[in-house]
Amino acid sequence: AALDWLCSHVYLGAHIFSPDPFLMITGEAGIINGPVLQPDFRMDYCRLWMSLIKGDMSGVERYSRRLGAGDLYPLFACVLTARSWNAVNAGIGSVPVTHAEV
């Protein structure tokens, strides 16, 4: 429920003012003209991020698979977070970003 506020419209893409290669912008209906995310997808995505932050690997696998990653859920988690597999396993909220990850 902590991330239940995630809006139902999303835009993913590069942004010239962001230091990160990808930026996710969410907004209420009418502000951003993007695809509408279904409630189940939104909740699975939120639960995936909570699992990634805490290092709950069974949650990472479960929610990645529910989002369509299949057996490639480890790669999906690493690409989604831009973190190493070691950092994902430990929980990205508890491991500082290393020079190799930058």
Side-chain angles (χ1 to χ4, degrees):
L3 293 177
D4 190 29
W5 53 265
L6 185 65
C7 300
S8 59
H9 287 72
V10 67
Y11 166 78
L12 294 173
H15 191 278
I16 60 171
F17 299 114
S18 174
D20 299 318
F22 296 99
L23 174 69
M24 185 171 101
I25 303 169
T26 59
E28 294 296 334
I31 296 174
I32 296 175
N33 220 0
V36 175
L37 301 178
Q38 297 301 313
D40 289 345
F41 180 91
R42 289 181 22 228
M43 292 308 299
D44 287 343
Y45 187 74
C46 291
R47 290 179 180 127
L48 171 60
W49 272 103
M50 294 302 292
S51 298
L52 288 164
I53 291 167
K54 295 185 294 186
D56 172 13
M57 294 311 297
S58 65
V60 169
E61 180 178 359
R62 177 174 48 255
Y63 297 115
S64 294
R65 287 182 182 278
R66 287 180 60 128
L67 293 171
D71 291 338
L72 296 176
Y73 75 89
L75 178 61
F76 179 65
C78 291
V79 169
L80 185 63
T81 61
R83 300 293 307 270
S84 70
W85 182 239
N86 289 337
V88 169
N89 273 285
I92 62 170
S94 63
V95 179
V97 177
T98 65
H99 183 66
E101 291 175 322
V102 177

